[in-house]
Amino acid sequence: MLTAIREIGRRLRGTNSIDELSTLIQEPFQITPKKPTPVVIFITVNLDRDKYDGVQLEEYESTKVDRYLFRKGPSNGPNPMPVAHFTDVEKTFTKKILAWFKEYQKLDETGMAARLGDVLQKNQQKITQDINDKIKDIDKETKKLLTVKVKKKNRCNYLGDLAIFPQLLRQIVNAQVAKGSALNQVCSICGQKKQVTGDPRIYRFYTIDKPGFIAGGFNEANAWKNFPLCYECKLDIEEGRRFVEENLRFNFYSLEYYLIPRLLVSGVQSELMEILLDSQKLISLKSGAKKKITSDNYEILETISREKDVLTVNLLFLKKEQSAERILLLIEDIFPSRIKEIFDAKDRVDALFQEDDGAGFNFGKVRTFFAKSSEGKKNNDLDKYFLEIIDATFLGKKIDFTFLTKFYLAVIRKEFIEDRYFKARVNDALMGVMFFKELGLLTFQEAKSMNESIFSNVLTKYGGMLNSPAKQGVFLLGALTQLLLNKQYAERGAAPFRKHLKGLKMDGRDFRALLPKVRNKLEEYGSFDKGKAQIAEEVSRAFLKAGENWKIAADELNFYFVCGMNLAEEIAGIVYQGK
């Protein structure tokens, strides 16, 4: 993954002539239309008089990023520049701004930083009060940046306007990289012998801030042995990460992921790769996306599926928690041909279900069952299982059907008991099963002896799922039961027979006992006509053939039953042809 990001960064830096300083400067905020515009808090110092000149507020402008000179540093120390995200005066002004001048002003041979530091130190109390007064009316949701503005010769300067601060930024970052570095060692990315560092500070899932994180002992000086990285590769990776985060970040049903493309062979021409690495062309590509399987309106996976296998993509699911980052899932080297298989499977499922809303299958049909274990949960607690399914889908790993039905039934039972979206959830579950079946992730043994009957087409339509007499009988019993419930709804506006379904927690004995109850109730309503009698006869025949010991999990049996309920109209269409 890092090699792919390095290649992206190297290509961008070469093509766009991006220098070292531009790579080191970071965008402090991710600007989105839904969030208020961030504010920059300037502590103004008049350097002509060595005098504090008050606090000013300005709206943040991304076009001024080179003038702000922001670069994130350690959480417990100053950033490489006296520019920091504002949380409160104590944490930001004292521990980020004043601390920077105490630690780094000695590096400035011109003396400007020392003079600025003296003014800030002498006016600390006044500055603290002024900052609090200035921000008291600003919404807490508005993000803020705290930094210093310098008046010099009647001109107000941002730090980036003064030559000394960009110079100090490079100097400080280089010193950080050199700390714990080693000369004439092999870089783990480019493979060349150079000076390498062991503390690149690029992704926060790799840190050496605790002795136990260093392989072979507790000596920080040996940290480079963990992850030897030369300075050139570090800059390339930083630039590549910046581009990926700004342009190739997508949403997978509340899970954020980054799409990282990689050419398989250097020198091979790929028009798609050129587009993916051009932010302007990429916008057009995203806008033109036709089909999608995720919740992101600008998802481009279907476009990638049309590319030849001259490139691969990595999907990085990364979770940011304050200053830390955690890899939730990394799927590497996915070929476009595999993504095409996924969209082909979606097409076949969409055709089978003839979805009226045009959306068809997407992973929202799966996420419905793998988000929260209960509605009372504040946050999603089933992400782990959802990510396992995503991983299996893109890498072609098998999925256990019992695992699926366990989670499917948990939601379906709830919807059934509360009489809400029962039919929709069963439909979602069935589409998911068919999608995984089409991809070969679910396999069902072929039925040894399928009885020829008028229902054969329906029983075989759903990919061999109903491959035994017991499953077929339960499925048809579900359809017959739903016809009874429909009759009760039509005549009474309610369906009291639902209480006989035991909250969809029935076992084989329950299903066998349910058939005569359904039949008797239909007879009471005078509705046990020839069509329903055909269904009941088929259920009886299947149960007799299945015997007593079915050896099928209860969740699985109930799933076949609800599928039959959901497809009752299809079954009725067979026995009432022409009516």
Side-chain angles (χ1 to χ4, degrees):
M1 178 192 76
L2 289 178
T3 302
I5 296 174
R6 192 281 304 263
E7 288 304 318
I8 292 172
R10 175 164 293 186
R11 197 160 168 163
L12 292 171
R13 294 186 73 213
T15 305
N16 303 327
S17 302
I18 300 172
D19 61 15
E20 176 192 11
L21 181 63
S22 298
T23 297
L24 294 180
I25 297 171
Q26 297 173 339
E27 186 84 47
F29 303 110
Q30 291 178 0
I31 305 299
T32 62
K34 296 180 180 178
K35 295 182 179 177
T37 303
V39 169
V40 184
I41 308 167
F42 287 104
I43 305 167
T44 307
V45 175
N46 187 329
L47 205 59
D48 295 326
R49 299 181 181 179
D50 287 334
K51 176 176 172 292
Y52 165 61
D53 211 14
V55 171
Q56 299 176 6
L57 299 182
E58 288 183 12
E59 282 194 350
Y60 173 78
E61 296 180 47
S62 57
T63 55
K64 295 180 179 177
V65 67
D66 290 344
R67 301 177 69 191
Y68 298 135
L69 288 188
F70 174 81
R71 183 175 174 84
K72 191 172 177 58
S75 58
N76 57 354
N79 293 343
M81 281 282 103
V83 190
H85 291 122
F86 183 84
T87 53
D88 61 48
V89 169
E90 174 60 25
K91 290 181 180 176
T92 313
F93 177 54
T94 307
K95 296 183 178 178
K96 290 291 185 181
I97 306 301
L98 284 180
W100 185 90
F101 284 97
K102 286 179 183 175
E103 185 165 345
Y104 295 121
Q105 65 183 26
K106 60 182 177 292
L107 299 176
D108 175 14
E109 295 178 352
T110 70
M112 182 187 294
R115 290 168 62 194
L116 290 171
D118 287 344
V119 173
L120 297 178
Q121 189 67 42
K122 289 175 182 174
N123 295 275
Q124 184 174 351
Q125 189 172 356
K126 173 65 173 165
I127 293 170
T128 299
Q129 182 62 47
D130 288 350
I131 291 174
N132 283 328
D133 289 344
K134 281 286 185 181
I135 65 172
K136 64 182 180 183
D137 296 327
I138 299 177
D139 192 310
K140 289 184 179 179
E141 296 297 318
T142 302
K143 293 186 179 299
K144 308 171 190 70
L145 198 67
L146 181 65
T147 184
V148 176
K149 187 181 278 187
V150 182
K151 281 187 177 178
K152 190 178 178 186
K153 295 181 181 177
N154 295 321
R155 178 180 173 180
C156 285
N157 300 279
Y158 293 27
L159 293 181
D161 299 336
L162 302 166
I164 185 61
F165 285 99
Q167 180 185 322
L168 287 174
L169 174 59
R170 283 190 290 261
Q171 190 175 340
I172 292 167
V173 172
N174 280 325
Q176 290 173 340
V177 172
K179 186 179 178 183
S181 65
L183 294 171
N184 201 30
Q185 300 296 332
V186 177
C187 171
S188 59
I189 298 296
C190 66
Q192 298 180 22
K193 278 193 172 183
K194 296 181 180 177
Q195 181 180 7
V196 297
T197 179
D199 186 13
R201 304 187 186 194
I202 300 172
Y203 281 100
R204 302 303 296 176
F205 54 74
Y206 171 77
T207 65
I208 57 168
D209 57 356
K210 293 181 175 59
F213 293 173
I214 301 171
F218 301 147
N219 189 352
E220 194 173 337
N222 292 327
W224 64 271
K225 294 180 180 177
N226 278 24
F227 178 30
L229 185 70
C230 70
Y231 190 63
E232 290 77 11
C233 285
K234 170 183 159 57
L235 287 177
D236 290 340
I237 292 174
E238 281 202 32
E239 193 62 42
R241 174 178 180 164
R242 186 208 309 271
F243 182 85
V244 169
E245 288 197 334
E246 291 177 356
N247 300 282
L248 293 172
R249 185 178 67 232
F250 300 93
N251 190 285
F252 210 122
Y253 296 97
S254 78
L255 293 169
E256 200 169 67
Y257 78 94
Y258 302 96
L259 188 147
I260 305 164
R262 183 172 74 90
L263 266 180
L264 285 177
V265 181
S266 60
V268 173
Q269 294 297 316
S270 168
E271 184 179 351
L272 179 60
M273 190 71 177
E274 298 296 330
I275 295 172
L276 291 175
L277 300 186
D278 186 316
S279 56
Q280 295 302 316
K281 292 179 180 177
L282 192 54
I283 292 172
S284 176
L285 185 72
K286 290 177 177 177
S287 301
K290 295 177 180 177
K291 285 189 272 185
K292 60 191 183 73
I293 55 173
T294 74
S295 55
D296 200 308
N297 289 331
Y298 300 107
E299 176 218 290
I300 55 175
L301 290 174
E302 198 255 345
T303 304
I304 294 175
S305 74
R306 296 188 226 120
E307 176 74 351
K308 295 179 181 176
D309 285 346
V310 295
L311 59 79
T312 63
V313 295
N314 302 318
L315 304 185
L316 171 64
F317 290 80
L318 192 68
K319 186 174 185 179
K320 297 182 180 180
E321 297 172 327
Q322 297 179 337
S323 60
E325 292 174 322
R326 187 159 57 93
I327 295 178
L328 300 179
L329 175 66
L330 172 62
I331 312 175
E332 294 186 287
D333 296 330
I334 307 167
F335 285 97
S337 57
R338 177 60 186 174
I339 301 175
K340 184 176 185 302
E341 289 174 10
I342 292 170
F343 277 91
D344 287 348
K346 165 184 163 57
D347 289 342
R348 291 193 292 274
V349 172
D350 292 349
L352 181 65
F353 283 82
Q354 297 177 335
E355 287 274 285
D356 295 331
D357 60 6
F361 174 81
N362 54 53
F363 271 86
K365 311 286 186 187
V366 182
R367 184 59 157 168
T368 299
F369 305 97
F370 293 91
K372 295 180 181 179
S373 57
S374 73
E375 290 185 356
K377 296 282 184 181
K378 183 179 180 181
N379 300 313
N380 292 337
D381 61 339
L382 300 181
D383 286 348
K384 174 177 179 290
Y385 301 114
F386 186 55
L387 287 165
E388 285 180 4
I389 291 173
I390 295 171
D391 187 49
T393 301
F394 283 96
L395 295 183
K397 299 177 181 176
K398 294 290 184 184
I399 295 176
D400 183 54
F401 188 54
T402 304
F403 161 77
L404 278 185
T405 53
K406 174 186 174 183
F407 287 92
Y408 282 176
L409 260 296
V411 174
I412 290 170
R413 284 182 181 121
K414 187 172 186 302
E415 298 295 344
F416 175 77
I417 292 168
E418 298 179 1
D419 199 12
R420 298 194 307 182
Y421 305 107
F422 169 70
K423 184 177 174 62
R425 294 293 86 85
V426 176
N427 204 55
D428 290 345
L430 194 50
M431 288 186 81
V433 168
M434 292 311 301
F435 175 73
F436 299 131
K437 170 68 174 55
E438 289 293 329
L439 277 175
L441 310 184
L442 284 176
T443 53
F444 301 103
Q445 290 184 346
E446 190 173 342
K448 293 180 179 177
S449 58
M450 290 284 288
N451 288 331
E452 284 298 324
S453 77
I454 58 174
F455 305 111
S456 293
N457 287 340
V458 178
L459 296 176
T460 57
K461 181 178 177 181
Y462 294 97
M465 184 174 67
L466 305 170
N467 56 3
S468 75
K471 296 174 184 177
Q472 294 166 17
V474 170
F475 173 82
L476 291 172
L477 179 57
L480 187 64
T481 305
Q482 185 61 52
L483 294 178
L484 168 61
L485 298 178
N486 292 347
K487 182 66 177 176
Q488 286 193 323
Y489 273 122
E491 297 216 350
R492 303 176 57 175
F497 192 80
R498 288 162 57 93
K499 66 185 179 186
H500 292 281
L501 305 186
K502 296 186 174 183
L504 299 178
K505 292 183 178 179
M506 296 177 283
D507 57 19
R509 183 179 298 178
D510 294 323
F511 284 116
R512 287 190 290 272
L514 184 64
L515 177 59
K517 294 178 184 176
V518 174
R519 174 174 177 156
N520 291 339
K521 189 58 67 177
L522 283 167
E523 287 175 342
E524 289 176 17
Y525 280 89
S527 184
F528 193 66
D529 52 28
K530 184 180 177 182
K532 296 185 184 66
Q534 281 183 285
I535 302 172
E537 287 170 13
E538 194 71 23
V539 175
S540 296
R541 194 175 297 117
F543 282 178
L544 285 171
K545 191 168 184 178
E548 293 291 323
N549 189 8
W550 292 359
K551 295 182 179 179
I552 303 172
D555 284 341
E556 201 175 329
L557 283 174
N558 284 275
F559 181 68
Y560 302 131
F561 184 76
V562 298
C563 287
M565 294 176 71
N566 196 50
L567 298 170
E569 295 301 321
E570 198 166 338
I571 297 297
I574 296 171
V575 296
Y576 298 113
Q577 284 185 5
K579 295 184 180 179

